[in-house]
Amino acid sequence: MADVEASPNRGVMIALAYLWPLALVPLVLEKRDSDVQWHARHGLVLMIAELLLIVGYVVVTSLVSLATLGLGCILSILLVFSWIAILALHVVAILKGIGGSRLILPGLSHYADRF
């Protein structure tokens, strides 16, 4: 997984890789460590997927709120739990990355290998 030249800041760079736009820092600075590069690309893929899901959820919640106020409020409260799930996903990805493995998400992680 990792190149012969592992980054001396590997743990910090992997943590930055899963902090949304901060994933650009290891992507730009750590060109020699392929494992850090993969985690940075994976972090960007997760960020884009999460943003698309959140925007879609907000649109649906807004439309439902227009039709029925009560159901829209319940859906808005569920958005908080979605953010907690996203945070948990990022913590698991960071811990696995620092531990030397990768969090593979079916249907999503293969995009990190494509660019």
Side-chain angles (χ1 to χ4, degrees):
M1 280 188 201
D3 278 346
V4 176
E5 287 190 56
S7 168
N9 301 322
R10 187 177 184 280
V12 173
M13 291 299 169
I14 288 175
L16 287 175
Y18 292 103
L19 298 178
W20 281 34
L22 293 178
L24 294 172
V25 173
L27 193 64
V28 171
L29 295 179
E30 297 295 335
K31 296 286 186 187
R32 294 183 182 187
D33 192 334
S34 64
D35 200 35
V36 170
Q37 285 285 303
W38 186 88
H39 285 286
R41 291 190 310 266
H42 192 249
L44 289 172
V45 167
L46 281 177
M47 178 185 74
I48 292 168
E50 290 161 357
L51 284 173
L52 290 174
L53 283 172
I54 289 169
V55 168
Y57 189 84
V58 168
V59 167
V60 168
T61 301
S62 298
L63 293 175
V64 169
S65 292
L66 289 174
T68 61
L69 184 61
L71 185 57
C73 290
I74 292 171
L75 289 176
S76 296
I77 292 170
L78 289 177
L79 185 60
V80 173
F81 294 109
S82 299
W83 277 109
I84 293 170
I86 287 171
L87 177 63
L89 177 73
H90 284 256
V91 169
V92 169
I94 290 169
L95 292 175
K96 285 185 75 87
I98 290 172
S101 61
R102 295 177 175 177
L103 176 66
I104 303 297
L105 300 171
L108 193 61
S109 294
H110 70 278
Y111 288 109
D113 295 324
R114 289 191 174 183
F115 70 94

